[in-house]
Amino acid sequence: MIEQDRIIKVNIDEEMKSSYIDYSMSVIVSRALPDVRDGFKPVHRRVLFGMNELGNNSDKPYKKSARIVGEVMGKFHPHGDSSIYGTLVRLAQPWAMRYPLVDGQGNFGSVDGDSPAAMRYTEARLRKIAEEMLVDINKDTVDFQLNFDDTLKEPVVLPTRIPNLLINGSSGIAVGMATNMPPHNLAEAVDATIAYIENNEIEISELIKYIKAPDFPTGGIIYGYAGVKEAFETGRGRVVVRSKVDIEVDDAGREKIVVNEIPYQVNKAELIKSVVALVEDKRVEGISHINDESDRDGMRIVIDIKRDANSNVVLNKLFKYTALQSSFSVNNIALVNGRPRMLNLKDLIRHFVDHRHEVVTRRTQFELSEAEKRAHLLEGFMIILDNLDEAIQIIRDSKTPEEARTRLMERFGLSDVQSRAIVEMRLRQLTGMEQDKLRAEYEEVMNLIERLKEILAKVELRMEIIKNELVEVKDKFGDKRRTEIVYASEEFNPEDFYSDDEMVITISHLGYIKRTALTEFRTQGRGGVGSKGSDSRDEDFIEYIYPASMHNTMLFFTQKGKCYWLKVYEIPEGSKNSKGRAIQNLLNIDADDKVNAFIRVKGLNDADYINNHYLIFCTKNGIIKKTSLEAYSRPRQNGVNAITIREDDQVIQVRLTNGDTHVVIANRNGRAIRFHESQVRTMGRTATGVRAMTLDEDGQDEVVGMICVPNNTKESVMVVSQKGYGKRTWLDEMDENGERILDENGTIVPVYRVTKRGGKGVKTMNITEKTGKLVSIKSVNDDNDLMIINKSGVVIRLKVADIRIMGRATQGVRLINLDKRNDEIASVCKVETEREEDTIEVNEAVEPGVNNEFNPEDNAMNNSGTENVSSEETEDNN
């Protein structure tokens, strides 16, 4: 019965909850989070205080780290030597602390993550900046508490003159919360603190002018300012830090990426291993060798780049996939009055200033108390000096010191403290010189008392003292920023990862797309058999080929009249013989829809450009529509309606114009119509359009293509038929010198006469059974090549200059030999010719659309947005 009475039954849920709360509060307050006033956790504070008590100051010899650890563990921190030594080591590491507080001698680890030597081998002492955090600690400036065994006292907080939490930061994981505070520049932190003292109502936006951003001990570059600003304003933010690198070129002309500084808290050895792993996994190509050439003079990681690689592209991939670029997640949680709080920049400065104000006030009170005590003694001395003979006689006549003290108190009205000091006074202090010194000291002490009382009476004087001490600290320890700031950059620009190489975009009949380097295609003579351009399924064949560069923006238009947007580098890369990837997997296209027209642009953010250029749509049934490019400058991910299409119609061509071009549209039966684009008024994005050409009523006729030719162009019209025949024809009559022929009235003599839209047009090719129906019309010149691909997947590239100019109504010449009887031409595309036959140098290729003369066939090239503004407009086809 007695044993049962000793057992107390408790609810296990309540006991666990209570115990865990006690444990978590202990971790939060006594281990993991720093105090906002001095920026220290208990272990840091105890290490510095223990070293100070040990006399291990900057002007004294080093002491063994084991001696320091033993002192701190035995007196203040009974939690094991490893935690104390780990703290001591970190306080001495210049790559871990922006302003190291311990001066270490020996092996204290390295930025490669090497472990420090055992504490019996290393030595340490305080640095001068650490002594500034301990100054005046014996002047009752801070509260003390009993240590773990109640035998000694330790400070609750240090009376630091330096905003340590700002300049050195802190990190720690508590229970249910964590802190991660970046270091800052001391000079900037002092300037911001002084600005706050001078104006307590200062906004964070004003403080940022003084303390610009974190300043990491390892340097680097802060890449983008939004995260910094957010952290200053809210206490939380993401600061992106990049390594500082240079691109060097050796004597052999090979490029090297040289890393001189890495982000804060990045392990250099692990960083190098990660780069090697990426190269081995072929995730980053273009690196031939990596070597660590760091020494005592600084960091130097050398990455050799292969001859055919682009160093900037490699570097940007390393930034993305390795710790060469990393982010510091700011989480400013610190203890305020023993409670964890999230703090912004102004809060951190305000709490430090409040702490310094309390320290200065308590120090002044302490000094006033000491001065008043001394003045009281000096008053007693001066009374005795004025009555020296009598006082000496009283002391001589007294039998004991106690009797002498009592008689002096009664005779001269002295206090107990004064009488004791007088009895214990040495005879030498009775000399005339010493008497003068005492009187001078009394006067000096009284002046001091008056000044100290004035300081205690006026807040302005106390704040001035704080400012002066901060300026003194700045003069002693201030230095320049190590971390640079790049304000205008935020997230990665995807274009940074791709060279702007020339590519060929290939789209098959069943909707498979790929990009292939233009250099994979070789030039062949006219009439050649061609080379295999794609391995496609029997029922599939290549239908569209289109030249573009990696940074181009592609606008895709479907036969149902929708517009989609992709960067060329977002299109999957494939070899010349690969099938590609289904467009439906890249764009949100309906199952019964497909892309059959596209343009490339490079300036959808340029308001002047997009408002002065137009998209002209042509449909299979001969409908044309003209809309400002601005209406398509902000496509959505799910596409936008580009044109309203009737049920039995579809978009076959889209062209970019400058508002002053001639439109030429050709049909299957070999006719073409030419009219100025002003014949088509500008309509809204969803308009239907108007009639461009009247088709034959045989039930099989349809429009095969459209070209838009600027005025005074010297380009010719290229038409190709189903069975491999083609020819070039001038748009206007030309002489032998390539100049337009004028009639007797000075008017240009057209080959294709200019008419109004909606007519039947004129013959552009003599269509026979041998030639087959017309399949393509292009605007070309002698600088172009033609890429012709048939339904069996064979592609041939030939020079346009090899095809002679012929009359408008002629049959043309054979361009490609079709091996199979039922084979037909599927698609024709023009590209810029290469400088030398059988070789194509990408860097020598003429980039279409960049020259000064506008070329609507080439389109233009720039970036685009991602939103859309719609304007509904419809028009009858008449």
Side-chain angles (χ1 to χ4, degrees):
M1 192 67 182
I2 297 176
E3 287 295 324
Q4 292 178 353
D5 291 342
R6 294 176 62 185
I7 297 174
I8 302 173
K9 293 183 179 181
V10 296
N11 187 309
I12 190 169
D13 291 343
E14 294 298 326
E15 182 65 24
M16 291 292 290
K17 186 185 298 183
S18 173
S19 299
Y20 196 75
I21 289 175
D22 291 343
Y23 163 73
S24 64
M25 287 306 299
S26 174
V27 171
I28 290 170
V29 176
S30 303
R31 187 189 306 177
L33 299 184
D35 193 295
V36 71
R37 295 170 291 180
D38 62 0
F40 288 125
K41 302 174 190 177
V43 64
H44 298 90
R45 192 178 299 118
R46 288 164 176 167
V47 166
L48 295 181
F49 180 68
M51 293 177 72
N52 186 62
E53 290 293 289
L54 201 58
N56 194 17
N57 297 322
S58 60
D59 56 347
K60 302 289 175 56
Y62 293 94
K63 292 188 185 297
K64 282 288 185 183
S65 298
R67 170 84 185 278
I68 298 169
V69 171
E71 178 83 4
V72 174
M73 183 169 65
K75 291 184 176 180
F76 309 115
H77 198 77
H79 299 294
D81 54 6
S82 60
S83 65
I84 300 172
Y85 186 51
T87 300
L88 180 69
V89 166
R90 187 176 183 277
L91 290 174
Q93 291 176 335
W95 60 89
M97 301 286 287
R98 180 62 180 84
Y99 297 91
L101 304 178
V102 170
D103 181 10
Q105 183 169 268
N107 176 14
F108 276 79
S110 73
V111 73
D112 286 326
D114 298 322
S115 300
M119 56 184 168
R120 62 181 178 274
Y121 299 119
T122 60
E123 298 176 341
R125 64 184 178 187
L126 289 173
R127 287 183 180 266
K128 288 185 177 180
I129 191 170
E131 293 173 356
E132 293 292 332
M133 299 181 180
L134 292 154
V135 68
D136 298 329
I137 195 168
N138 296 321
K139 292 187 177 181
D140 193 32
T141 50
V142 293
D143 292 333
F144 277 71
Q145 63 187 9
L146 292 171
N147 69 341
F148 63 91
D149 61 359
D150 293 352
T151 58
L152 298 168
K153 286 192 173 184
E154 61 175 326
V156 174
V157 66
L158 298 185
T160 174
R161 288 186 177 184
I162 298 170
N164 180 59
L165 194 56
L166 266 177
I167 67 168
N168 273 325
S170 183
S171 64
I173 301 174
V175 178
M177 64 185 67
T179 185
N180 200 35
M181 307 180 71
H184 297 82
N185 184 269
L186 187 145
E188 292 180 1
V190 167
D191 290 341
T193 306
I194 291 175
Y196 170 79
I197 292 173
E198 293 174 347
N199 176 20
N200 291 164
E201 303 301 320
I202 191 171
E203 297 292 333
I204 293 177
S205 58
E206 292 294 317
L207 286 173
I208 293 176
K209 295 178 180 178
Y210 299 96
I211 184 165
K212 299 175 179 62
D215 188 23
F216 299 106
T218 53
I221 299 170
I222 290 177
Y223 196 69
Y225 202 69
V228 174
K229 193 168 183 290
E230 182 182 4
F232 280 156
E233 291 175 348
T234 66
R236 294 177 69 96
R238 179 173 168 269
V239 180
V240 178
V241 186
R242 274 191 171 184
S243 301
K244 191 175 290 184
V245 300
D246 294 318
I247 306 294
E248 296 182 359
V249 181
D250 60 17
D251 296 336
R254 297 183 63 177
E255 292 183 324
K256 297 181 178 182
I257 297 173
V258 180
V259 182
N260 299 311
E261 296 175 3
I262 60 175
Y264 184 48
Q265 295 177 337
V266 169
N267 184 309
K268 177 161 64 71
E270 292 298 323
L271 172 64
I272 293 173
K273 287 181 182 178
S274 68
V275 175
V276 172
L278 287 173
V279 174
E280 290 176 348
D281 295 341
K282 298 188 182 302
R283 294 184 64 192
V284 174
E285 297 180 348
I287 295 176
S288 61
H289 187 260
I290 182 170
N291 190 37
D292 186 2
E293 299 179 3
S294 306
D295 55 22
R296 65 172 59 191
D297 296 325
M299 184 178 297
R300 182 179 169 87
I301 305 170
V302 180
I303 303 171
D304 293 329
I305 305 300
K306 294 179 180 177
R307 289 188 182 277
D308 59 346
N310 186 316
S311 59
N312 286 316
V313 171
V314 173
L315 178 59
N316 283 310
K317 287 186 177 180
L318 292 177
F319 280 145
K320 182 174 183 180
Y321 296 123
T322 72
L324 276 179
Q325 174 172 313
S326 60
S327 60
F328 186 95
S329 298
V330 179
N331 192 24
N332 292 341
I333 293 181
L335 296 176
V336 180
N337 297 325
R339 293 179 177 273
R341 278 190 53 192
M342 178 74 71
L343 305 167
N344 59 32
L345 176 61
K346 187 176 179 180
D347 292 335
L348 291 170
I349 294 174
R350 175 168 56 85
H351 288 299
F352 170 73
V353 171
D354 291 345
H355 175 56
R356 280 304 297 166
H357 180 256
E358 182 182 358
V359 167
V360 170
T361 302
R362 292 180 61 163
R363 182 184 66 193
T364 305
Q365 290 173 336
F366 177 83
E367 290 175 347
L368 175 61
S369 175
E370 293 297 307
E372 287 176 340
K373 290 178 182 177
R374 182 61 180 169
H376 184 61
L377 289 179
L378 292 173
E379 286 173 355
F381 290 156
M382 292 171 65
I383 291 173
I384 296 301
L385 291 177
D386 290 338
N387 302 277
L388 186 56
D389 293 337
E390 184 178 357
I392 292 173
Q393 188 62 44
I394 291 174
I395 293 171
R396 290 180 62 185
D397 293 344
S398 300
K399 293 181 179 180
T400 63
E402 286 297 319
E403 181 183 346
R405 211 165 49 76
T406 304
R407 291 178 63 186
L408 288 172
M409 291 170 61
E410 294 174 352
R411 171 66 184 85
F412 300 110
L414 302 175
S415 67
D416 183 67
V417 174
Q418 288 173 324
S419 63
R420 287 182 184 276
I422 290 168
V423 170
E424 294 171 1
M425 182 185 291
R426 295 180 180 180
L427 290 174
R428 69 177 185 183
Q429 291 179 270
L430 301 179
T431 62
M433 185 178 294
E434 290 296 323
Q435 291 181 29
D436 293 339
K437 283 185 179 181
L438 288 173
R439 288 188 171 89
E441 183 186 355
Y442 178 73
E443 184 177 353
E444 183 179 336
V445 170
M446 294 307 294
N447 290 333
L448 175 61
I449 289 172
E450 184 178 351
R451 185 166 66 86
L452 293 174
K453 286 183 176 179
E454 186 179 7
I455 291 171
L456 290 173
K458 296 181 179 179
V459 176
E460 296 81 4
L461 290 178
R462 298 197 290 276
M463 289 300 174
E464 193 65 30
I465 291 172
I466 296 172
K467 285 167 55 178
N468 292 339
E469 291 178 349
L470 284 170
V471 171
E472 183 181 341
V473 165
K474 177 184 173 181
D475 293 340
K476 284 183 181 179
F477 308 108
D479 57 3
K480 294 181 180 179
R481 283 191 65 88
R482 297 182 187 175
T483 304
E484 295 180 11
I485 307 169
V486 176
Y487 290 92
S489 303
E490 293 300 331
E491 296 299 324
F492 284 107
N493 181 357
E495 291 184 7
D496 294 340
F497 303 103
Y498 305 95
S499 299
D500 199 15
D501 297 331
E502 291 295 324
M503 310 298 292
V504 172
I505 307 301
T506 307
I507 302 176
S508 74
H509 181 70
L510 293 182
Y512 287 85
I513 187 171
K514 67 179 179 181
R515 58 178 166 89
T516 306
L518 188 61
T519 52
E520 285 203 28
F521 295 91
R522 291 158 49 98
T523 302
Q524 299 176 353
R526 180 172 63 84
V529 176
S531 63
K532 194 70 174 174
S534 176
D535 286 335
S536 55
R537 292 182 289 178
D538 293 339
E539 67 271 19
D540 196 11
F541 57 87
I542 301 300
E543 190 168 2
Y544 297 99
I545 46 181
Y546 201 83
S549 65
M550 286 285 277
H551 290 182
N552 287 178
T553 299
M554 298 291 295
L555 290 179
F556 293 81
F557 300 92
T558 70
Q559 61 185 19
K560 284 189 172 184
K562 294 201 71 175
C563 173
Y564 296 87
W565 170 82
L566 270 184
K567 288 285 191 179
V568 172
Y569 57 74
E570 294 177 316
I571 298 171
E573 184 175 11
S575 67
K576 187 173 61 174
N577 298 324
S578 64
K579 182 176 67 175
R581 187 175 174 190
I583 294 179
Q584 278 78 0
N585 294 336
L586 302 176
L587 305 173
N588 295 324
I589 297 176
D590 296 338
D592 59 346
D593 199 3
K594 71 172 184 176
V595 171
N596 58 2
F598 18 75
I599 65 167
R600 58 181 173 179
V601 290
K602 198 181 178 182
L604 293 183
N605 292 327
D606 185 344
D608 183 63
Y609 176 81
I610 62 178
N611 288 315
N612 289 288
H613 288 83
Y614 305 89
L615 290 180
I616 293 183
F617 294 78
C618 179
T619 74
K620 179 180 69 174
N621 290 345
I623 301 300
I624 190 170
K625 190 194 81 159
K626 175 181 172 184
T627 305
S628 172
L629 178 61
E630 192 278 335
Y632 305 93
S633 63
R634 297 171 296 274
R636 298 188 183 95
Q637 185 176 1
N638 293 328
V640 295
N641 291 323
I643 181 175
T644 299
I645 295 293
R646 300 205 170 197
E647 186 176 349
D648 60 341
D649 202 1
Q650 65 183 43
V651 174
I652 62 165
Q653 197 70 61
V654 183
R655 289 282 184 245
L656 183 69
T657 75
N658 63 355
D660 187 24
T661 62
H662 282 258
V663 178
V664 181
I665 297 175
N667 68 354
R668 280 173 54 86
N669 291 335
R671 288 184 291 104
I673 185 171
R674 175 186 180 186
F675 55 87
H676 193 273
E677 70 171 279
S678 60
Q679 291 280 313
V680 187
R681 70 178 182 86
T682 304
M683 307 175 194
R685 177 171 58 80
T686 56
T688 300
V690 294
R691 185 175 302 281
M693 184 179 191
T694 300
L695 302 178
D696 294 337
E697 297 180 356
D698 57 5
Q700 296 180 355
D701 195 17
E702 62 185 41
V703 173
V704 297
M706 172 185 70
I707 60 174
C708 296
V709 185
N711 285 322
N712 301 321
T713 182
K714 292 186 179 181
E715 292 201 344
S716 56
V717 177
M718 180 82 208
V719 289
V720 181
S721 69
Q722 283 178 323
K723 296 187 178 180
Y725 284 80
K727 70 180 182 70
R728 296 169 64 194
T729 306
W730 292 120
L731 199 61
D732 299 312
E733 293 288 355
M734 297 283 188
D735 59 20
E736 295 178 355
N737 298 321
E739 299 296 332
R740 282 178 169 76
I741 298 175
L742 305 180
D743 62 15
E744 55 191 20
N745 298 321
T747 305
I748 295 174
V749 179
V751 175
Y752 291 84
R753 71 175 186 272
V754 180
T755 65
K756 292 184 178 181
R757 64 170 175 83
K760 279 184 170 286
V762 297
K763 183 177 288 188
T764 186
M765 186 177 190
N766 187 21
I767 298 298
T768 65
E769 185 177 346
K770 182 174 70 172
T771 63
K773 297 289 188 180
L774 204 64
V775 295
S776 176
I777 180 172
K778 299 290 178 185
S779 173
V780 298
N781 57 46
D782 287 349
D783 292 329
N784 295 140
D785 284 356
L786 281 187
M787 295 184 70
I788 303 175
I789 193 158
N790 59 25
K791 292 184 178 181
S792 61
V794 176
V795 63
I796 183 173
R797 178 169 181 161
L798 54 89
K799 292 181 179 296
V800 170
D802 292 342
I803 306 171
R804 66 185 179 87
I805 301 291
M806 302 180 186
R808 176 170 53 78
T810 57
Q811 179 178 276
V813 296
R814 184 179 294 277
L815 301 179
I816 182 171
N817 292 323
L818 301 177
D819 290 341
K820 299 178 181 178
R821 181 175 300 175
N822 296 324
D823 203 5
E824 295 179 351
I825 300 296
S827 182
V828 180
C829 178
K830 73 170 185 178
V831 296
E832 296 298 325
T833 189
E834 70 281 359
R835 295 294 180 90
E836 297 180 8
E837 188 171 82
D838 291 331
T839 61
I840 298 175
E841 293 291 338
V842 174
N843 58 352
E844 291 183 356
V846 178
E847 188 175 19
V850 178
N851 51 7
N852 294 328
E853 184 177 348
F854 176 79
N855 187 343
E857 285 291 289
D858 291 333
N859 303 313
M861 300 179 285
N862 257 331
N863 299 325
S864 78
T866 56
E867 295 181 2
N868 178 73
V869 177
S870 64
S871 60
E872 304 241 343
E873 181 180 351
T874 60
E875 182 166 328
D876 187 71
N877 289 339
N878 295 325

